[in-house]
Amino acid sequence: MLALILARNLHRYFLSKDSIEACQTKLRTYISSEKDVRGYVPGKGWAYSVAHVSDAIEKP
């Protein structure tokens, strides 16, 4: 959901630069502490933590 909000902000600016930077910092902190970086977890389905975080912090 966060990636969608940040992408929407690229088309119509409603987030402050400080808010975006704080969000990116928190995402980087989260992904650096993520222990399970598998894409598919048997019995549970798709996890994709790395892909979702990269979508959110991607710069156009």
Side-chain angles (χ1 to χ4, degrees):
M1 189 61 125
L2 190 54
L4 296 173
I5 294 168
L6 292 171
R8 180 67 177 151
N9 187 66
L10 293 174
H11 299 285
R12 186 205 273 174
Y13 300 109
F14 57 91
L15 297 173
S16 70
K17 183 178 178 182
D18 289 340
S19 293
I20 294 169
E21 289 174 358
C23 179
Q24 290 175 336
T25 298
K26 289 177 183 180
L27 285 166
R28 287 184 188 102
T29 300
Y30 160 72
I31 202 61
S32 68
S33 65
E34 178 62 71
K35 302 285 188 253
D36 188 354
V37 294
R38 297 175 289 175
Y40 184 78
V41 180
K44 293 186 177 184
W46 293 101
Y48 271 168
S49 62
V50 174
H52 291 302
V53 170
S54 69
D55 287 345
I57 62 173
E58 164 187 341
K59 293 187 175 145

